[in-house]
Amino acid sequence: MQQSTLVRLKENLEFKTPILVVGLPGVGLVGKLVAEHLVDELGAEKIVEVYSPHFPPQVLVNKDCTVRPVSNTIYYAKAKENDILFLVGDHQSTTSQGHYELCSLYLDIAEEFGVKKIYTLGGYPTGKLTYEETVLGVANNTKMIEEIKEYGVEFRESEPSGGIVGASGLLVAFSKMRGIDAACLMGMTPGYLMDPKSAQSLLKVLCKMFGIEVNMESLEKKAEEMESILEKLKEKEEQQTIQEVKPTEEDLRYIG
């Protein structure tokens, strides 16, 4: 099968111990929301585009009715003393083979740019229509776990119990073979809808880690909109529960 294609928009790039932040689409779009928000707030510059036959066979339609192929993109921004690279995009791979190929490609780029730390971002599905501010983490070494704990990230024994599917997990595991420290940070989310509120919790942790401040107003507005939708869903859920437990006339005849 044809391999994925890299399009370099900038050449001869050099960075000072850069950090790679990965926010690809996943549960609740939590990681994607956080990474794209930071790209916007930090005025990050697009430096690499990735195209792959493992992405869905579709094009996306722009506001002006022109089209573009599905892709993932790497951006660069400087935040205080940190050089930060952001991997964001439209889709993860639709195939198992593609996940491994693309993760290998992303790690090749990380090595080329001298990345020493990777943070993948995602959502931890709770299945409940309630909000938790907790951010869970896993890492590829215990030293990094101790470092991240200082920022309020929780590490729970053998959690997530079902493992982590996709780039967020694979990049953390395979980066160890490249001598790169890596961790996956996950915001708690119901998992049913886009979750900007969970994204806010995760964003606060990253801002502490990187020593930066960003405007969260746009995420707050999205969170308010989604909270309204969740309240309606909760009401429907409660009504269904009441209907299910409400005794019928036949049931009442057996109450002594």
Side-chain angles (χ1 to χ4, degrees), residues 100-134:
Y100 285 91
E101 182 201 312
L102 285 166
C103 283
S104 179
L105 179 64
Y106 299 145
L107 288 173
D108 287 345
I109 297 170
E111 279 191 315
E112 177 189 335
F113 290 153
V115 169
K116 297 300 179 186
K117 280 188 180 179
I118 296 175
Y119 296 100
T120 67
L121 312 178
Y124 182 101
T126 63
K128 300 174 184 177
L129 294 175
T130 52
Y131 169 68
E132 293 182 50
E133 197 169 357
T134 307

PDB file of all heavy atoms in Angstrom, residues 100-134:
ATOM      1  N   TYR A 100      -0.287   2.188  13.208  1.00  0.00           N
ATOM      2  CA  TYR A 100       1.129   1.904  13.468  1.00  0.00           C
ATOM      3  C   TYR A 100       2.039   2.669  12.504  1.00  0.00           C
ATOM      4  O   TYR A 100       3.070   3.219  12.903  1.00  0.00           O
ATOM      5  CB  TYR A 100       1.388   0.394  13.372  1.00  0.00           C
ATOM      6  CG  TYR A 100       0.877  -0.354  14.582  1.00  0.00           C
ATOM      7  CD1 TYR A 100      -0.415  -0.866  14.608  1.00  0.00           C
ATOM      8  CD2 TYR A 100       1.671  -0.528  15.715  1.00  0.00           C
ATOM      9  CE1 TYR A 100      -0.900  -1.537  15.729  1.00  0.00           C
ATOM     10  CE2 TYR A 100       1.205  -1.187  16.835  1.00  0.00           C
ATOM     11  CZ  TYR A 100      -0.083  -1.696  16.837  1.00  0.00           C
ATOM     12  OH  TYR A 100      -0.555  -2.352  17.946  1.00  0.00           O
ATOM     13  N   GLU A 101       1.647   2.716  11.239  1.00  0.00           N
ATOM     14  CA  GLU A 101       2.479   3.417  10.254  1.00  0.00           C
ATOM     15  C   GLU A 101       2.554   4.910  10.575  1.00  0.00           C
ATOM     16  O   GLU A 101       3.634   5.508  10.574  1.00  0.00           O
ATOM     17  CB  GLU A 101       1.913   3.229   8.843  1.00  0.00           C
ATOM     18  CG  GLU A 101       2.787   3.902   7.781  1.00  0.00           C
ATOM     19  CD  GLU A 101       2.052   4.188   6.477  1.00  0.00           C
ATOM     20  OE1 GLU A 101       1.372   3.282   5.975  1.00  0.00           O
ATOM     21  OE2 GLU A 101       2.158   5.324   5.973  1.00  0.00           O
ATOM     22  N   LEU A 102       1.394   5.511  10.850  1.00  0.00           N
ATOM     23  CA  LEU A 102       1.370   6.950  11.110  1.00  0.00           C
ATOM     24  C   LEU A 102       2.092   7.295  12.410  1.00  0.00           C
ATOM     25  O   LEU A 102       2.806   8.299  12.482  1.00  0.00           O
ATOM     26  CB  LEU A 102      -0.076   7.451  11.154  1.00  0.00           C
ATOM     27  CG  LEU A 102      -0.748   7.572   9.779  1.00  0.00           C
ATOM     28  CD1 LEU A 102      -2.258   7.730   9.923  1.00  0.00           C
ATOM     29  CD2 LEU A 102      -0.178   8.754   9.003  1.00  0.00           C
ATOM     30  N   CYS A 103       1.928   6.466  13.439  1.00  0.00           N
ATOM     31  CA  CYS A 103       2.635   6.737  14.697  1.00  0.00           C
ATOM     32  C   CYS A 103       4.145   6.659  14.505  1.00  0.00           C
ATOM     33  O   CYS A 103       4.894   7.460  15.072  1.00  0.00           O
ATOM     34  CB  CYS A 103       2.179   5.764  15.779  1.00  0.00           C
ATOM     35  SG  CYS A 103       0.558   6.187  16.460  1.00  0.00           S
ATOM     36  N   SER A 104       4.589   5.720  13.695  1.00  0.00           N
ATOM     37  CA  SER A 104       6.017   5.624  13.386  1.00  0.00           C
ATOM     38  C   SER A 104       6.483   6.875  12.648  1.00  0.00           C
ATOM     39  O   SER A 104       7.563   7.418  12.933  1.00  0.00           O
ATOM     40  CB  SER A 104       6.281   4.378  12.533  1.00  0.00           C
ATOM     41  OG  SER A 104       7.647   4.283  12.213  1.00  0.00           O
ATOM     42  N   LEU A 105       5.651   7.362  11.736  1.00  0.00           N
ATOM     43  CA  LEU A 105       5.976   8.575  10.984  1.00  0.00           C
ATOM     44  C   LEU A 105       6.046   9.788  11.923  1.00  0.00           C
ATOM     45  O   LEU A 105       6.979  10.600  11.839  1.00  0.00           O
ATOM     46  CB  LEU A 105       4.914   8.813   9.908  1.00  0.00           C
ATOM     47  CG  LEU A 105       5.062  10.063   9.029  1.00  0.00           C
ATOM     48  CD1 LEU A 105       6.337   9.974   8.189  1.00  0.00           C
ATOM     49  CD2 LEU A 105       3.857  10.220   8.122  1.00  0.00           C
ATOM     50  N   TYR A 106       5.071   9.908  12.832  1.00  0.00           N
ATOM     51  CA  TYR A 106       5.070  11.031  13.771  1.00  0.00           C
ATOM     52  C   TYR A 106       6.311  10.998  14.669  1.00  0.00           C
ATOM     53  O   TYR A 106       6.902  12.043  14.979  1.00  0.00           O
ATOM     54  CB  TYR A 106       3.815  11.006  14.649  1.00  0.00           C
ATOM     55  CG  TYR A 106       2.513  11.112  13.889  1.00  0.00           C
ATOM     56  CD1 TYR A 106       1.375  10.432  14.316  1.00  0.00           C
ATOM     57  CD2 TYR A 106       2.404  11.889  12.735  1.00  0.00           C
ATOM     58  CE1 TYR A 106       0.176  10.524  13.625  1.00  0.00           C
ATOM     59  CE2 TYR A 106       1.211  11.986  12.039  1.00  0.00           C
ATOM     60  CZ  TYR A 106       0.094  11.295  12.491  1.00  0.00           C
ATOM     61  OH  TYR A 106      -1.094  11.382  11.812  1.00  0.00           O
ATOM     62  N   LEU A 107       6.722   9.794  15.069  1.00  0.00           N
ATOM     63  CA  LEU A 107       7.909   9.675  15.917  1.00  0.00           C
ATOM     64  C   LEU A 107       9.190   9.957  15.135  1.00  0.00           C
ATOM     65  O   LEU A 107      10.158  10.493  15.690  1.00  0.00           O
ATOM     66  CB  LEU A 107       7.968   8.289  16.565  1.00  0.00           C
ATOM     67  CG  LEU A 107       6.918   8.057  17.665  1.00  0.00           C
ATOM     68  CD1 LEU A 107       6.937   6.611  18.118  1.00  0.00           C
ATOM     69  CD2 LEU A 107       7.160   8.994  18.854  1.00  0.00           C
ATOM     70  N   ASP A 108       9.197   9.627  13.844  1.00  0.00           N
ATOM     71  CA  ASP A 108      10.345   9.996  12.992  1.00  0.00           C
ATOM     72  C   ASP A 108      10.507  11.517  12.967  1.00  0.00           C
ATOM     73  O   ASP A 108      11.623  12.046  13.079  1.00  0.00           O
ATOM     74  CB  ASP A 108      10.138   9.495  11.555  1.00  0.00           C
ATOM     75  CG  ASP A 108      10.303   7.989  11.416  1.00  0.00           C
ATOM     76  OD1 ASP A 108      10.861   7.364  12.348  1.00  0.00           O
ATOM     77  OD2 ASP A 108       9.865   7.447  10.386  1.00  0.00           O
ATOM     78  N   ILE A 109       9.381  12.216  12.823  1.00  0.00           N
ATOM     79  CA  ILE A 109       9.412  13.679  12.794  1.00  0.00           C
ATOM     80  C   ILE A 109       9.867  14.216  14.151  1.00  0.00           C
ATOM     81  O   ILE A 109      10.672  15.154  14.236  1.00  0.00           O
ATOM     82  CB  ILE A 109       8.017  14.247  12.441  1.00  0.00           C
ATOM     83  CG1 ILE A 109       7.601  13.802  11.037  1.00  0.00           C
ATOM     84  CG2 ILE A 109       8.008  15.776  12.532  1.00  0.00           C
ATOM     85  CD1 ILE A 109       6.157  14.105  10.710  1.00  0.00           C
ATOM     86  N   ALA A 110       9.348  13.614  15.235  1.00  0.00           N
ATOM     87  CA  ALA A 110       9.732  14.048  16.581  1.00  0.00           C
ATOM     88  C   ALA A 110      11.244  13.914  16.784  1.00  0.00           C
ATOM     89  O   ALA A 110      11.901  14.822  17.311  1.00  0.00           O
ATOM     90  CB  ALA A 110       8.976  13.232  17.628  1.00  0.00           C
ATOM     91  N   GLU A 111      11.803  12.805  16.349  1.00  0.00           N
ATOM     92  CA  GLU A 111      13.254  12.601  16.469  1.00  0.00           C
ATOM     93  C   GLU A 111      14.024  13.615  15.625  1.00  0.00           C
ATOM     94  O   GLU A 111      15.030  14.173  16.076  1.00  0.00           O
ATOM     95  CB  GLU A 111      13.620  11.181  16.021  1.00  0.00           C
ATOM     96  CG  GLU A 111      13.381  10.128  17.070  1.00  0.00           C
ATOM     97  CD  GLU A 111      14.009   8.794  16.694  1.00  0.00           C
ATOM     98  OE1 GLU A 111      13.854   8.377  15.533  1.00  0.00           O
ATOM     99  OE2 GLU A 111      14.645   8.183  17.563  1.00  0.00           O
ATOM    100  N   GLU A 112      13.543  13.846  14.415  1.00  0.00           N
ATOM    101  CA  GLU A 112      14.205  14.795  13.515  1.00  0.00           C
ATOM    102  C   GLU A 112      14.272  16.194  14.140  1.00  0.00           C
ATOM    103  O   GLU A 112      15.278  16.894  14.018  1.00  0.00           O
ATOM    104  CB  GLU A 112      13.435  14.857  12.195  1.00  0.00           C
ATOM    105  CG  GLU A 112      13.995  15.868  11.201  1.00  0.00           C
ATOM    106  CD  GLU A 112      13.088  16.057   9.983  1.00  0.00           C
ATOM    107  OE1 GLU A 112      12.318  15.137   9.650  1.00  0.00           O
ATOM    108  OE2 GLU A 112      13.164  17.137   9.358  1.00  0.00           O
ATOM    109  N   PHE A 113      13.204  16.589  14.822  1.00  0.00           N
ATOM    110  CA  PHE A 113      13.139  17.927  15.418  1.00  0.00           C
ATOM    111  C   PHE A 113      13.719  17.987  16.830  1.00  0.00           C
ATOM    112  O   PHE A 113      13.705  19.034  17.470  1.00  0.00           O
ATOM    113  CB  PHE A 113      11.690  18.424  15.441  1.00  0.00           C
ATOM    114  CG  PHE A 113      11.135  18.743  14.069  1.00  0.00           C
ATOM    115  CD1 PHE A 113       9.768  18.668  13.825  1.00  0.00           C
ATOM    116  CD2 PHE A 113      11.959  19.133  13.032  1.00  0.00           C
ATOM    117  CE1 PHE A 113       9.245  18.970  12.572  1.00  0.00           C
ATOM    118  CE2 PHE A 113      11.448  19.433  11.775  1.00  0.00           C
ATOM    119  CZ  PHE A 113      10.093  19.353  11.538  1.00  0.00           C
ATOM    120  N   GLY A 114      14.206  16.851  17.337  1.00  0.00           N
ATOM    121  CA  GLY A 114      14.850  16.845  18.650  1.00  0.00           C
ATOM    122  C   GLY A 114      13.898  16.854  19.824  1.00  0.00           C
ATOM    123  O   GLY A 114      14.250  17.303  20.925  1.00  0.00           O
ATOM    124  N   VAL A 115      12.696  16.336  19.630  1.00  0.00           N
ATOM    125  CA  VAL A 115      11.699  16.285  20.712  1.00  0.00           C
ATOM    126  C   VAL A 115      12.171  15.338  21.810  1.00  0.00           C
ATOM    127  O   VAL A 115      12.603  14.214  21.534  1.00  0.00           O
ATOM    128  CB  VAL A 115      10.326  15.818  20.164  1.00  0.00           C
ATOM    129  CG1 VAL A 115       9.367  15.493  21.305  1.00  0.00           C
ATOM    130  CG2 VAL A 115       9.743  16.886  19.256  1.00  0.00           C
ATOM    131  N   LYS A 116      12.078  15.784  23.062  1.00  0.00           N
ATOM    132  CA  LYS A 116      12.462  14.960  24.201  1.00  0.00           C
ATOM    133  C   LYS A 116      11.265  14.587  25.074  1.00  0.00           C
ATOM    134  O   LYS A 116      11.354  13.704  25.927  1.00  0.00           O
ATOM    135  CB  LYS A 116      13.511  15.686  25.056  1.00  0.00           C
ATOM    136  CG  LYS A 116      14.825  15.954  24.334  1.00  0.00           C
ATOM    137  CD  LYS A 116      15.472  14.661  23.866  1.00  0.00           C
ATOM    138  CE  LYS A 116      16.784  14.907  23.124  1.00  0.00           C
ATOM    139  NZ  LYS A 116      17.330  13.655  22.552  1.00  0.00           N
ATOM    140  N   LYS A 117      10.141  15.294  24.868  1.00  0.00           N
ATOM    141  CA  LYS A 117       8.928  14.975  25.636  1.00  0.00           C
ATOM    142  C   LYS A 117       7.708  15.060  24.729  1.00  0.00           C
ATOM    143  O   LYS A 117       7.605  15.968  23.898  1.00  0.00           O
ATOM    144  CB  LYS A 117       8.745  15.942  26.807  1.00  0.00           C
ATOM    145  CG  LYS A 117       9.584  15.631  28.019  1.00  0.00           C
ATOM    146  CD  LYS A 117       9.199  16.509  29.201  1.00  0.00           C
ATOM    147  CE  LYS A 117      10.076  16.168  30.409  1.00  0.00           C
ATOM    148  NZ  LYS A 117       9.743  17.031  31.573  1.00  0.00           N
ATOM    149  N   ILE A 118       6.790  14.104  24.911  1.00  0.00           N
ATOM    150  CA  ILE A 118       5.539  14.097  24.163  1.00  0.00           C
ATOM    151  C   ILE A 118       4.376  14.005  25.133  1.00  0.00           C
ATOM    152  O   ILE A 118       4.399  13.187  26.065  1.00  0.00           O
ATOM    153  CB  ILE A 118       5.490  12.901  23.184  1.00  0.00           C
ATOM    154  CG1 ILE A 118       6.586  13.011  22.126  1.00  0.00           C
ATOM    155  CG2 ILE A 118       4.112  12.808  22.516  1.00  0.00           C
ATOM    156  CD1 ILE A 118       6.668  11.809  21.201  1.00  0.00           C
ATOM    157  N   TYR A 119       3.372  14.841  24.913  1.00  0.00           N
ATOM    158  CA  TYR A 119       2.122  14.759  25.679  1.00  0.00           C
ATOM    159  C   TYR A 119       0.988  14.500  24.688  1.00  0.00           C
ATOM    160  O   TYR A 119       0.720  15.340  23.822  1.00  0.00           O
ATOM    161  CB  TYR A 119       1.851  16.049  26.443  1.00  0.00           C
ATOM    162  CG  TYR A 119       2.867  16.360  27.509  1.00  0.00           C
ATOM    163  CD1 TYR A 119       3.890  17.284  27.273  1.00  0.00           C
ATOM    164  CD2 TYR A 119       2.824  15.727  28.745  1.00  0.00           C
ATOM    165  CE1 TYR A 119       4.831  17.568  28.245  1.00  0.00           C
ATOM    166  CE2 TYR A 119       3.778  16.001  29.724  1.00  0.00           C
ATOM    167  CZ  TYR A 119       4.772  16.922  29.466  1.00  0.00           C
ATOM    168  OH  TYR A 119       5.710  17.194  30.424  1.00  0.00           O
ATOM    169  N   THR A 120       0.369  13.333  24.791  1.00  0.00           N
ATOM    170  CA  THR A 120      -0.814  13.082  23.972  1.00  0.00           C
ATOM    171  C   THR A 120      -2.040  13.413  24.817  1.00  0.00           C
ATOM    172  O   THR A 120      -2.055  13.189  26.033  1.00  0.00           O
ATOM    173  CB  THR A 120      -0.876  11.615  23.485  1.00  0.00           C
ATOM    174  OG1 THR A 120      -1.089  10.733  24.592  1.00  0.00           O
ATOM    175  CG2 THR A 120       0.407  11.242  22.761  1.00  0.00           C
ATOM    176  N   LEU A 121      -3.059  13.961  24.181  1.00  0.00           N
ATOM    177  CA  LEU A 121      -4.248  14.433  24.898  1.00  0.00           C
ATOM    178  C   LEU A 121      -5.474  13.654  24.448  1.00  0.00           C
ATOM    179  O   LEU A 121      -5.628  13.335  23.269  1.00  0.00           O
ATOM    180  CB  LEU A 121      -4.464  15.929  24.628  1.00  0.00           C
ATOM    181  CG  LEU A 121      -3.245  16.841  24.773  1.00  0.00           C
ATOM    182  CD1 LEU A 121      -3.624  18.281  24.417  1.00  0.00           C
ATOM    183  CD2 LEU A 121      -2.669  16.769  26.182  1.00  0.00           C
ATOM    184  N   GLY A 122      -6.361  13.372  25.378  1.00  0.00           N
ATOM    185  CA  GLY A 122      -7.563  12.635  25.018  1.00  0.00           C
ATOM    186  C   GLY A 122      -8.637  12.742  26.072  1.00  0.00           C
ATOM    187  O   GLY A 122      -8.513  13.490  27.047  1.00  0.00           O
ATOM    188  N   GLY A 123      -9.698  11.971  25.870  1.00  0.00           N
ATOM    189  CA  GLY A 123     -10.806  11.940  26.813  1.00  0.00           C
ATOM    190  C   GLY A 123     -10.931  10.559  27.430  1.00  0.00           C
ATOM    191  O   GLY A 123     -10.663   9.549  26.783  1.00  0.00           O
ATOM    192  N   TYR A 124     -11.336  10.536  28.707  1.00  0.00           N
ATOM    193  CA  TYR A 124     -11.577   9.267  29.417  1.00  0.00           C
ATOM    194  C   TYR A 124     -13.085   9.128  29.572  1.00  0.00           C
ATOM    195  O   TYR A 124     -13.708   9.878  30.331  1.00  0.00           O
ATOM    196  CB  TYR A 124     -10.901   9.292  30.784  1.00  0.00           C
ATOM    197  CG  TYR A 124     -11.040   8.010  31.575  1.00  0.00           C
ATOM    198  CD1 TYR A 124      -9.998   7.101  31.629  1.00  0.00           C
ATOM    199  CD2 TYR A 124     -12.211   7.711  32.271  1.00  0.00           C
ATOM    200  CE1 TYR A 124     -10.109   5.927  32.361  1.00  0.00           C
ATOM    201  CE2 TYR A 124     -12.336   6.535  32.990  1.00  0.00           C
ATOM    202  CZ  TYR A 124     -11.282   5.651  33.036  1.00  0.00           C
ATOM    203  OH  TYR A 124     -11.403   4.487  33.747  1.00  0.00           O
ATOM    204  N   PRO A 125     -13.729   8.189  28.850  1.00  0.00           N
ATOM    205  CA  PRO A 125     -15.193   8.096  28.882  1.00  0.00           C
ATOM    206  C   PRO A 125     -15.722   7.512  30.188  1.00  0.00           C
ATOM    207  O   PRO A 125     -15.324   6.426  30.596  1.00  0.00           O
ATOM    208  CB  PRO A 125     -15.501   7.168  27.700  1.00  0.00           C
ATOM    209  CG  PRO A 125     -14.276   6.328  27.533  1.00  0.00           C
ATOM    210  CD  PRO A 125     -13.118   7.189  27.949  1.00  0.00           C
ATOM    211  N   THR A 126     -16.626   8.248  30.840  1.00  0.00           N
ATOM    212  CA  THR A 126     -17.222   7.776  32.092  1.00  0.00           C
ATOM    213  C   THR A 126     -18.580   7.118  31.852  1.00  0.00           C
ATOM    214  O   THR A 126     -19.051   6.347  32.680  1.00  0.00           O
ATOM    215  CB  THR A 126     -17.429   8.950  33.071  1.00  0.00           C
ATOM    216  OG1 THR A 126     -18.359   9.884  32.499  1.00  0.00           O
ATOM    217  CG2 THR A 126     -16.107   9.654  33.350  1.00  0.00           C
ATOM    218  N   GLY A 127     -19.231   7.486  30.728  1.00  0.00           N
ATOM    219  CA  GLY A 127     -20.562   6.957  30.449  1.00  0.00           C
ATOM    220  C   GLY A 127     -21.652   7.595  31.278  1.00  0.00           C
ATOM    221  O   GLY A 127     -22.813   7.188  31.226  1.00  0.00           O
ATOM    222  N   LYS A 128     -21.296   8.622  32.064  1.00  0.00           N
ATOM    223  CA  LYS A 128     -22.272   9.301  32.924  1.00  0.00           C
ATOM    224  C   LYS A 128     -22.477  10.739  32.447  1.00  0.00           C
ATOM    225  O   LYS A 128     -21.524  11.390  32.014  1.00  0.00           O
ATOM    226  CB  LYS A 128     -21.772   9.322  34.374  1.00  0.00           C
ATOM    227  CG  LYS A 128     -21.537   7.939  34.961  1.00  0.00           C
ATOM    228  CD  LYS A 128     -20.919   8.056  36.340  1.00  0.00           C
ATOM    229  CE  LYS A 128     -20.579   6.692  36.921  1.00  0.00           C
ATOM    230  NZ  LYS A 128     -19.910   6.807  38.247  1.00  0.00           N
ATOM    231  N   LEU A 129     -23.709  11.226  32.572  1.00  0.00           N
ATOM    232  CA  LEU A 129     -24.002  12.598  32.141  1.00  0.00           C
ATOM    233  C   LEU A 129     -23.681  13.603  33.246  1.00  0.00           C
ATOM    234  O   LEU A 129     -24.455  14.502  33.549  1.00  0.00           O
ATOM    235  CB  LEU A 129     -25.474  12.707  31.727  1.00  0.00           C
ATOM    236  CG  LEU A 129     -25.877  11.893  30.486  1.00  0.00           C
ATOM    237  CD1 LEU A 129     -27.373  11.981  30.259  1.00  0.00           C
ATOM    238  CD2 LEU A 129     -25.124  12.381  29.261  1.00  0.00           C
ATOM    239  N   THR A 130     -22.528  13.431  33.851  1.00  0.00           N
ATOM    240  CA  THR A 130     -22.080  14.349  34.903  1.00  0.00           C
ATOM    241  C   THR A 130     -20.643  14.760  34.592  1.00  0.00           C
ATOM    242  O   THR A 130     -19.917  14.068  33.885  1.00  0.00           O
ATOM    243  CB  THR A 130     -22.116  13.681  36.292  1.00  0.00           C
ATOM    244  OG1 THR A 130     -21.408  12.430  36.229  1.00  0.00           O
ATOM    245  CG2 THR A 130     -23.555  13.436  36.731  1.00  0.00           C
ATOM    246  N   TYR A 131     -20.241  15.898  35.179  1.00  0.00           N
ATOM    247  CA  TYR A 131     -18.925  16.454  34.876  1.00  0.00           C
ATOM    248  C   TYR A 131     -17.963  16.217  36.033  1.00  0.00           C
ATOM    249  O   TYR A 131     -18.314  16.388  37.196  1.00  0.00           O
ATOM    250  CB  TYR A 131     -19.050  17.952  34.607  1.00  0.00           C
ATOM    251  CG  TYR A 131     -17.719  18.668  34.537  1.00  0.00           C
ATOM    252  CD1 TYR A 131     -16.838  18.432  33.489  1.00  0.00           C
ATOM    253  CD2 TYR A 131     -17.337  19.551  35.538  1.00  0.00           C
ATOM    254  CE1 TYR A 131     -15.613  19.063  33.437  1.00  0.00           C
ATOM    255  CE2 TYR A 131     -16.114  20.200  35.489  1.00  0.00           C
ATOM    256  CZ  TYR A 131     -15.253  19.944  34.429  1.00  0.00           C
ATOM    257  OH  TYR A 131     -14.040  20.569  34.385  1.00  0.00           O
ATOM    258  N   GLU A 132     -16.753  15.805  35.724  1.00  0.00           N
ATOM    259  CA  GLU A 132     -15.683  15.673  36.710  1.00  0.00           C
ATOM    260  C   GLU A 132     -14.471  16.459  36.220  1.00  0.00           C
ATOM    261  O   GLU A 132     -14.096  16.350  35.053  1.00  0.00           O
ATOM    262  CB  GLU A 132     -15.282  14.202  36.883  1.00  0.00           C
ATOM    263  CG  GLU A 132     -16.346  13.331  37.508  1.00  0.00           C
ATOM    264  CD  GLU A 132     -15.858  11.898  37.690  1.00  0.00           C
ATOM    265  OE1 GLU A 132     -14.754  11.721  38.244  1.00  0.00           O
ATOM    266  OE2 GLU A 132     -16.572  10.978  37.258  1.00  0.00           O
ATOM    267  N   GLU A 133     -13.863  17.211  37.100  1.00  0.00           N
ATOM    268  CA  GLU A 133     -12.723  18.044  36.705  1.00  0.00           C
ATOM    269  C   GLU A 133     -11.413  17.258  36.676  1.00  0.00           C
ATOM    270  O   GLU A 133     -10.382  17.765  36.255  1.00  0.00           O
ATOM    271  CB  GLU A 133     -12.591  19.236  37.664  1.00  0.00           C
ATOM    272  CG  GLU A 133     -11.718  20.338  37.107  1.00  0.00           C
ATOM    273  CD  GLU A 133     -11.803  21.621  37.920  1.00  0.00           C
ATOM    274  OE1 GLU A 133     -12.590  21.655  38.885  1.00  0.00           O
ATOM    275  OE2 GLU A 133     -11.085  22.569  37.594  1.00  0.00           O
ATOM    276  N   THR A 134     -11.458  16.012  37.100  1.00  0.00           N
ATOM    277  CA  THR A 134     -10.255  15.182  37.181  1.00  0.00           C
ATOM    278  C   THR A 134      -9.574  14.995  35.826  1.00  0.00           C
ATOM    279  O   THR A 134     -10.234  14.829  34.812  1.00  0.00           O
ATOM    280  CB  THR A 134     -10.617  13.790  37.742  1.00  0.00           C
ATOM    281  OG1 THR A 134     -11.332  13.954  38.964  1.00  0.00           O
ATOM    282  CG2 THR A 134      -9.382  12.954  37.987  1.00  0.00           C
TER     283      THR A 134
END
